[in-house]
Amino acid sequence: MSEERGMGIIVETIARATIPLIGIFGAYVVSHGHLTPGGGFQGGATIAGAGILFLIAFGLGEMKQHYNKNLYSILEGLGGLAFLGMAMLGIGVAFFYNTLWHNGPIFNGRPGTLLSAGYLPVMNIAVGLKVFAGLVSAMVAIASYRRWGK
Amino acid sequence: MIPYLIIIPLLGAFAMPLMGLAGRKAGELWAVIVTLLTFGVSIDVFNTVWKKGILVYTLGAKSPIGKGVDFPVRIVWEVDLLGALLALVVAFVTLVVVVYSIEYMKHDTGLEKYYTLVMLLEVGMLGIAMTGDLFNFYVFFEITGIASYALVAFRNDTWEGIEAGIKYMFAGSLASSLVLLGVVLLYGQYGTLTMAYLSKMITGNPTFTSRVALGLLIGGLLFKSGAVPVHMWLADAHPAAPSSISAMLSGLVIKLGGVYAITRLAFSVFGGGTNLRTLGWVVILFACATLIVGNAMAVVQTDMKRLLAYSSVGQIGYILLGVGIGLAAYGSEVGNVALAGAIYHTVNHALIKALLFLIAGAVIHNLGTRNLNELSGIARRMPITSFAFLVGAMAIIGVPPMNGFASKWLIYESSALFNPLVGVIAIIGTAFSFAAYIRVVFTFLGRPCERVMQAQEPGKAMLLPMLILVAAIVLTGLFPWIISDRVMLPAAKMLENTGNYVSAVLGGA
């Protein structure tokens, strides 16, 4: 099963070094979505890029040991549910009413600081989680599709 | 109650992976509960709209109008009687289809994804029916589209599922990019995406760009409704999909994503600033071609589901004809009746075609063939299913005790009054449709062939949905004129009255 093996030692070593960096940068993009360019989708796609680098550099065999289909599908569902839950918080006024910003206990700090945009950071994290889990699952599913000629 | 129409099925779809872990039965039960609740909410919304008129719901605040400005800045959901009626039908047919799927999809794998996609399809269609915002409409339109591409190709171990899915996806993406381009042009020209405000702007300043945008929008939406030059995806997608999905595609998707959207845009957005007579005639020309080609192609099919798919194309022709006459004869009694007939036929055809596809599914599930030549004499072994088919066939041709009669009558009457030639074309279409269905009925009632002798009735979970639909068809068929006078004509009036639609959001501003 040559497809399941990874690439050479140089690629693997560099991947070991860069995967955490990509992941941290993605997490930064997600968590600062309300302050800097980027947000849930961009950050989530970046983190998924780290996952795909892992898949390519170490190969499908290694990936399969670290990937759990049920876990990722639950994470994706949880991302959606968290988004919906945030949108529901202010249902007393309206769907998607940003009650955390207007009168919520946290997330209503001075504009420009990290905890300042009401439900937006939480929604960004939810979207980031959903995008990351979805993209990684899609790539693993495609990579482990039946092989040529079988 | 309006937001719950979206929240409940969305919650159902997002929570499905969790429910799927608890086992297959839990997932099915969850899907039934969610669709049942959605149906309950849709009844309530319909009731409210029917009593109180147009409902407006703003996302994120109490009022759609921005602070310090006099135009709407937020997404609004605006439900008039037509939208509420279609939401009711969508929720009803989805519920029936989900119950049917419990037994029908018994032998398939990946069912938690199936139910997730079905609920997303429902979200998309309910959103299309509710939304009063052009881009929000596009988003829901794409949710519907992508969920239906995936569902058409759901049985990906069959070659036809993949082929139909690819065809549908490529052509469908092109069509929805036309819609997006239309939305972009309108936004560039008028700087707003709220339908009500856009309608006011277009009425005040009808530009050439708005006409180009209208052309692009209508082009993309005619594709989704399966009008004739672009109906080819439909005849492949409906037979290849699982029958429960064909029932939703044929009964709902082509109407919400296609005809309803055309109607909404033509009347509510472009009603003031466009020459409705020209637009109406364009729609009528497509409708006449659709009527003839769809019904005529249905006659020559030997594949049962393909026959039903072409028949759907033909029936879309009637609905488009009603809408077209409603546009061309805007403001007159004839136009009002034609529009009411189109709305009525949308609802009726959704029920009838859902029933017919569910029956086709039961036959295929049982005998493993869709070829009509191998199905003769099925009535001997599957009497209830065949009886249901007889009801559906009578209803779709328009035999008086069934619901199809009244809606088709409204369309015939108004088209004959509008232009006798169009009336003749409508009658010819029905003659073809009659020929197609009478052939199937005779096949079902004929001498049983060898293959059919092992057949038996499907189980309760498949029979019950069919019988519910039969009951709905017969019961609504018994009071056609009451329904027409109390629901369909007011819905058509409410749709024609663009001023009310606009002022419901802008508050008379």
Side-chain angles (χ1 to χ4, degrees):
Chain A
M1 295 295 277
S2 63
E3 306 97 338
E4 305 228 330
R5 269 208 331 256
M7 300 171 95
I9 185 145
I10 300 174
V11 176
E12 286 185 10
T13 311
I14 292 180
R16 245 181 221 114
T18 46
I19 284 172
L21 293 180
I22 298 174
I24 290 167
F25 180 68
Y28 162 76
V29 172
V30 170
S31 56
H32 287 68
H34 52 300
L35 301 172
T36 56
F41 184 83
Q42 291 84 345
T46 310
I47 305 176
I52 292 162
L53 178 59
F54 184 92
L55 169 65
I56 294 171
F58 295 97
L60 186 59
E62 188 73 19
M63 188 70 181
K64 275 182 178 160
Q65 289 174 11
H66 293 86
Y67 171 83
N68 180 337
K69 183 170 150 287
N70 285 337
L71 176 69
Y72 275 70
S73 112
I74 286 171
L75 282 181
E76 202 190 338
L78 280 181
L81 287 175
F83 189 93
L84 196 61
M86 282 294 128
M88 290 277 288
L89 275 183
I91 194 79
V93 179
F95 191 37
F96 276 97
Y97 176 70
N98 196 345
T99 183
L100 283 181
W101 166 245
H102 290 284
N103 38 20
I106 42 168
F107 295 111
N108 56 348
R110 196 164 50 79
T113 57
L114 195 59
L115 298 179
S116 70
Y119 59 30
L120 265 189
V122 189
M123 280 187 171
N124 274 331
I125 291 168
V127 172
L129 186 65
K130 194 165 171 59
V131 170
F132 161 71
L135 281 179
V136 169
S137 301
M139 290 309 289
V140 174
I142 292 170
S144 50
Y145 192 70
R146 289 171 302 203
R147 294 290 133 188
W148 302 110
K150 266 202 223 164
Chain B
M1 285 300 268
I2 286 186
Y4 291 100
L5 220 44
I6 294 294
I7 292 171
I8 292 174
L10 211 50
L11 176 73
F14 286 152
M16 198 68 207
L18 292 166
M19 298 296 163
L21 282 191
R24 190 174 178 135
K25 286 261 176 280
E28 283 164 353
L29 187 66
W30 175 246
V32 172
I33 291 171
V34 167
T35 42
L36 194 64
L37 283 177
T38 317
F39 181 52
V41 174
S42 74
I43 291 176
D44 182 73
V45 167
F46 176 75
N47 203 17
T48 317
V49 173
W50 193 42
K51 286 193 178 122
K52 292 191 195 152
I54 297 178
L55 277 186
V56 175
Y57 189 87
T58 311
L59 269 72
K62 288 276 191 206
S63 153
I65 311 291
K67 238 181 227 159
V69 290
D70 59 351
F71 51 82
V73 297
R74 300 194 170 84
I75 292 177
V76 288
W77 285 340
E78 186 165 11
V79 188
D80 66 357
L81 198 49
L82 174 59
L85 188 63
L86 287 179
L88 185 69
V89 175
V90 167
F92 176 65
V93 174
T94 312
L95 171 64
V96 166
V97 161
V98 166
V99 172
Y100 178 88
S101 304
I102 293 174
E103 190 181 330
Y104 179 71
M105 300 296 285
K106 200 162 52 177
H107 305 297
D108 289 80
T109 53
L111 279 189
E112 82 267 14
K113 291 177 193 70
Y114 171 82
Y115 287 113
T116 308
L117 285 168
V118 168
M119 284 187 265
L120 283 177
L121 194 60
E122 188 183 17
V123 169
M125 290 188 292
L126 290 173
I128 290 174
M130 291 162 54
T131 191
D133 183 280
L134 206 53
F135 193 77
N136 198 228
F137 157 74
Y138 175 75
V139 171
F140 281 124
F141 183 70
E142 281 289 87
I143 294 176
T144 313
I146 291 171
S148 44
Y149 308 150
L151 282 169
V152 164
F154 186 75
R155 286 183 173 153
N156 57 10
D157 51 345
T158 58
W159 65 268
E160 57 209 332
I162 298 289
E163 191 203 340
I166 287 180
K167 199 175 200 174
Y168 185 18
M169 187 182 72
F170 273 78
S173 317
L174 197 64
S176 46
S177 63
L178 291 185
V179 172
L180 183 61
L181 194 55
V183 174
V184 166
L185 286 180
L186 282 178
Y187 184 66
Q189 178 75 51
Y190 296 106
T192 181
L193 287 167
T194 309
M195 287 187 192
Y197 190 55
L198 193 60
S199 169
K200 197 181 157 196
M201 301 283 278
I202 293 177
T203 311
N205 175 26
T207 55
F208 181 68
T209 315
S210 77
R211 268 170 225 141
V212 175
L214 177 63
L216 289 168
L217 287 167
I218 298 271
L221 296 173
L222 277 178
F223 172 89
K224 287 277 177 172
S225 49
V228 142
V230 280
H231 66 290
M232 68 297 164
W233 63 271
L234 198 151
D236 282 336
H238 289 204
S243 289
S244 44
I245 298 310
S246 319
M248 281 186 85
L249 286 178
S250 184
L252 305 174
V253 172
I254 54 176
K255 294 180 187 108
L256 267 298
V259 181
Y260 169 77
I262 292 174
T263 317
R264 171 64 67 215
L265 289 174
F267 281 98
S268 299
V269 178
F270 289 91
T274 323
N275 185 347
L276 286 184
R277 203 170 165 77
T278 318
L279 181 60
W281 271 105
V282 170
V283 176
I284 290 172
L285 287 181
F286 278 112
C288 290
T290 310
L291 263 176
I292 298 294
V293 173
N295 283 322
M297 289 291 285
V299 180
V300 298
Q301 301 302 322
T302 52
D303 178 330
M304 186 175 175
K305 284 181 80 177
R306 225 175 157 77
L307 187 148
L308 295 178
Y310 273 113
S311 160
S312 284
V313 175
Q315 302 300 317
I316 278 294
Y318 286 105
I319 300 172
L320 281 175
L321 185 64
V323 172
I325 294 173
L327 283 166
Y330 182 76
S332 66
E333 184 70 19
V334 172
N336 190 246
V337 170
L339 197 55
I343 296 169
Y344 202 175
H345 201 56
T346 309
V347 175
N348 286 342
H349 182 243
L351 298 177
I352 299 167
K353 206 37 84 69
L355 172 66
L356 289 175
F357 268 115
L358 293 189
I359 291 165
V363 170
I364 295 160
H365 191 69
N366 220 314
L367 288 160
T369 178
R370 315 196 298 230
N371 192 335
L372 280 172
N373 298 332
E374 298 173 22
L375 290 176
S376 73
I378 214 168
R380 198 70 58 88
R381 303 290 306 178
M382 299 168 79
I384 304 178
T385 314
S386 306
F387 165 73
F389 187 86
L390 191 64
V391 171
M394 278 160 72
I396 206 159
I397 299 164
V399 179
M402 309 300 167
N403 63 359
F405 168 69
S407 57
K408 279 196 162 181
W409 180 259
L410 292 176
I411 294 174
Y412 294 148
E413 190 189 7
S414 55
S415 59
L417 286 172
F418 175 70
N419 185 329
L421 184 64
V422 175
V424 169
I425 291 175
I427 301 280
I428 292 174
T430 297
F432 280 130
S433 170
F434 180 72
Y437 280 99
I438 206 76
R439 213 165 57 94
V440 185
V441 168
F442 266 84
T443 311
F444 274 29
L445 295 177
R447 208 152 57 87
C449 67
E450 216 167 289
R451 177 158 199 165
V452 167
M453 289 317 286
Q454 300 101 38
Q456 51 191 351
E457 288 286 355
K460 283 196 197 81
M462 273 163 90
L463 275 182
L464 180 71
M466 295 197 278
L467 292 179
I468 291 173
L469 284 168
V470 167
I473 288 171
V474 174
L475 285 179
T476 53
L478 290 180
F479 313 103
W481 308 119
I482 299 176
I483 294 172
S484 164
D485 288 342
R486 301 194 59 182
V487 181
M488 306 303 165
L489 281 168
K493 283 234 166 63
M494 214 186 253
L495 181 67
E496 282 180 336
N497 194 339
T498 314
N500 272 354
Y501 188 82
V502 173
S503 63
V505 169
L506 300 180

